[in-house]
Amino acid sequence: MTFPTIRIGIGLAAAARPAYITPARGADLGGDRAVERLRARSHDLLDAAYAAGVRYVDVARSYGLAEDFLAGWLALRPQAVDVVVGSKWGYRYVGDWRLDADVHEVKDHSLEAFGTQYPISHGLLGERLAIYHLHSLTPDSPALGDQALHLALARLRAAGTRVGFSTSGPHQGEVVRRALELEVDGQPLFTSVEATWNVLEPSAGPALSEAAEAGATVIVKEAVANGRLTPAENDPHPAAVQARRVAAELGAGVDQVATAAALAQPWAWRVLSGAVTTQQLRANLGAAALDLVQDLTGLAQPSQEYWAQRSARAWA
């Protein structure tokens, strides 16, 4: 099946590194998580996504070898000239391709980090790198007040790359509003936002709507709550229970309903699938065909509770 105007993108956060916080990775990936095995899996996912009409791919410097895997796929698929690529800087992958690493990624929002990471991203992805996000901006990030960094990002903006940020944590709405107020030379510094929104944690919705109205590109990540809203988990929270009930009524998977709920937000330019198997990808893509009329956010989890629970998820 094809989706010529599909609003679903694909992210390689879970597929391009051996350990992540999504569930059932042993069943999905098996015991062989060597670099070349995950490269082949990532290429299979990208092939399936492209064939289905997906044209936005999300990677990051901290997603293991996601940029490298994507660059290799693009080189092998010269016909994929219409793929839009977004990447992120501000975290480094330090997991050394180990499942049992004490630390998998390290945050650094400094000008020095940007100056180090952007040339690597551009070296791999070249002019295909259309959007470059500051990774996981939070209220305490020094990047919000670093004028030297703002000038460097503005030079990237002037060169034709859309500059943006992603958010995480219980204060996403505040961060979105603060960051979008930043200007350099009378122009908005950031014109792209990638944020967590799902039926368990929809609190950023009003700020994301404002961002879209102001002309920013808005991308939804974690629509299935890092696996809590998938068949792999039987989450007991009332919002998850409600989503499973609606899915049963529609004859769909709970991940399809969760993705459809995000697609129903008029401000969402793209909703990312974080699939690690082509079966999961096909399920996510099926959300585009669902006629979801219910608002599933009425039983949402308090933001602080949601993010504390997310932080406690184990890397596997």
Side-chain angles (χ1 to χ4, degrees), residues 88-205:
K88 307 182 194 74
W89 71 276
Y91 273 79
R92 288 182 294 112
Y93 176 66
V94 295
D96 198 28
W97 217 257
R98 292 170 47 195
L99 295 178
D100 60 349
D102 292 332
V103 179
H104 293 271
E105 54 187 15
V106 175
K107 184 176 183 177
D108 185 351
H109 284 180
S110 67
L111 174 61
E112 181 181 4
F114 170 71
T116 298
Q117 292 193 310
Y118 173 71
I120 299 173
S121 297
H122 188 263
L124 286 165
L125 298 167
E127 299 310 310
R128 305 301 293 273
L129 180 58
I131 307 175
Y132 207 46
H133 291 111
L134 171 55
H135 200 163
S136 291
L137 192 61
T138 52
D140 59 347
S141 172
L144 285 167
D146 188 337
Q147 295 185 2
L149 173 61
H150 299 171
L151 289 173
L153 292 172
R155 287 192 289 272
L156 180 60
R157 178 194 66 188
T161 300
R162 184 181 289 265
V163 174
F165 60 94
S166 71
T167 65
S168 61
H171 305 292
Q172 291 188 107
E174 172 194 342
V175 170
V176 168
R177 292 183 173 107
R178 286 178 60 188
L180 290 181
E181 289 176 351
L182 296 175
E183 293 186 348
V184 175
D185 297 331
Q187 298 294 322
L189 177 60
F190 296 119
T191 56
S192 183
V193 182
E194 182 178 315
T196 294
W197 187 98
N198 56 61
V199 300
L200 293 166
E201 164 50 325
S203 65

Side-chain angles (χ1 to χ4, degrees), residues 39-51 54-55 57 68-85 128:
R39 185 191 307 275
R41 282 182 168 273
S42 295
H43 284 198
D44 287 345
L45 278 170
L46 291 165
D47 280 339
Y50 190 80
V54 173
R55 295 295 184 268
V57 184
D68 180 85
F69 291 174
L70 175 57
W73 181 82
L74 288 168
L76 293 169
R77 310 295 189 276
Q79 74 277 14
V81 293
D82 51 350
V83 169
V84 177
V85 175
R128 305 301 293 273

Side-chain angles (χ1 to χ4, degrees), residues 22-40:
T22 47
R25 291 181 65 78
D28 292 338
L29 298 177
D32 182 2
R33 302 189 201 177
V35 168
E36 292 310 312
R37 178 60 175 158
L38 292 192
R39 185 191 307 275

